[in-house]
Amino acid sequence: EAGVTQFPSHSVIEKGQTVTLRCDPISGHDNLYWYRRVMGKEIKFLLHFVKESKQDESGMPNNRFLAERTGGTYSTLKVQPAELEDSGVYFCASSAGTRSGNTIYFGEGSWLTVV
Amino acid sequence: GDSVTQMEGPVTLSEEAFLTINCTYTATGYPSLFWYVQYPGEGLQLLLKATKADDKGSNKGFEATYRKETTSFHLEKGSVQVSDSAVYFCALLNSGGYQKVTFGTGTKLQVIP
């Protein structure tokens, strides 16, 4: 069974440009999450989808970030325009349900560098 | 709100040394606790987990016991290897409300031959 897959794995863009990150969750997982780790800091929650609905987007840093999950399958996270402080690793994760015993599975991350 | 505190790194050990990485948490209800590991250049991998008090999670020689009385989930390994060099994250998933994993800041471990 395929795990959580993310694309691109690495991206280098200039300040002011746009980048779109994609996440394909594990098939059948209704819950999809985006997290971010900037250099040397903790991994911070960005937002949580349940199917196609945004359940919690309290961690989104500002309106330059837009996440979508049309049809409740894959998700995209767009950063427009990118700033230097957006550099970091963006992790996507998915889980099957909301009970405490469910495990959240993470992808390998999309490493973003803004120069 | 929920929070996780783990010991600051980096931690440098010689091969075959004993490892302890401390982790304590603050949460309402009865969270599940996890250790994730990120090897250089790779993504986050689940190392082990425990879902209730006194549970012991174990994997690849690593162990951690869910201690509700001390709100701790310390990671231990009896004999580390160079290949264990990575960043280790303690995390919790609260049982109440909607699922959202809260992470600690991560502890970088370097094992030298």
Side-chain angles (χ1 to χ4, degrees):
Chain A
E1 180 183 333
V4 177
T5 57
Q6 295 186 241
F7 182 84
S9 57
H10 292 80
S11 181
V12 180
I13 62 172
E14 293 184 351
K15 175 181 171 181
Q17 289 187 319
T18 298
V19 63
T20 300
L21 311 178
R22 172 172 169 144
C23 169
D24 286 77
I26 292 173
S27 178
H29 280 191
D30 287 341
N31 294 279
L32 186 149
Y33 311 82
W34 285 98
Y35 285 80
R36 174 174 77 166
R37 186 182 191 221
V38 296
M39 185 66 72
K41 302 284 182 66
E42 72 267 34
I43 300 170
K44 282 197 170 182
F45 168 83
L46 295 179
L47 87 160
H48 171 203
F49 284 98
V50 177
K51 297 184 180 179
E52 67 275 11
S53 300
K54 290 178 185 175
Q55 192 64 62
D56 181 352
E57 52 184 331
S58 60
M60 294 288 265
N62 51 61
N63 59 10
R64 296 186 292 104
F65 289 75
L66 175 64
E68 294 181 322
R69 192 183 183 195
T70 307
T73 54
Y74 73 90
S75 174
T76 57
L77 179 65
K78 180 189 287 189
V79 185
Q80 179 183 29
E83 299 290 342
L84 298 179
E85 64 264 26
D86 300 332
S87 297
V89 185
Y90 290 77
F91 291 105
C92 178
S94 73
S95 71
T98 56
R99 285 186 287 182
S100 64
N102 284 311
T103 298
I104 294 182
Y105 297 91
F106 284 80
E108 294 197 348
S110 289
W111 302 69
L112 173 64
T113 303
V114 183
V115 298
Chain B
D2 298 342
S3 67
V4 175
T5 302
Q6 60 181 106
M7 62 187 288
E8 290 190 20
V11 174
T12 302
L13 294 174
S14 297
E15 208 166 18
E16 299 183 3
F18 184 86
L19 168 71
T20 300
I21 300 178
N22 290 337
C23 171
T24 57
Y25 67 90
T26 302
T28 56
Y30 303 94
S32 294
L33 302 175
F34 306 86
W35 278 98
Y36 283 88
V37 58
Q38 185 179 17
Y39 297 102
E42 298 186 15
L44 272 178
Q45 299 177 25
L46 177 64
L47 180 61
L48 54 84
K49 70 176 184 178
T51 58
K52 60 183 186 297
D54 300 324
D55 267 3
K56 178 187 283 188
S58 61
N59 186 23
K60 299 181 181 179
F62 291 89
E63 291 183 341
T65 301
Y66 189 142
R67 302 284 188 201
K68 195 170 189 306
E69 64 277 12
T70 54
T71 62
S72 64
F73 193 55
H74 305 321
L75 182 68
E76 297 182 335
K77 186 174 185 181
S79 175
V80 293
Q81 305 301 312
V82 173
S83 57
D84 293 326
S85 298
V87 181
Y88 292 82
F89 295 91
C90 185
L92 71 82
L93 175 63
N94 212 317
S95 59
Y98 300 104
Q99 284 195 327
K100 184 165 69 179
V101 178
T102 301
F103 286 90
T105 53
T107 302
K108 183 175 182 179
L109 170 66
Q110 183 175 10
V111 181
I112 54 178

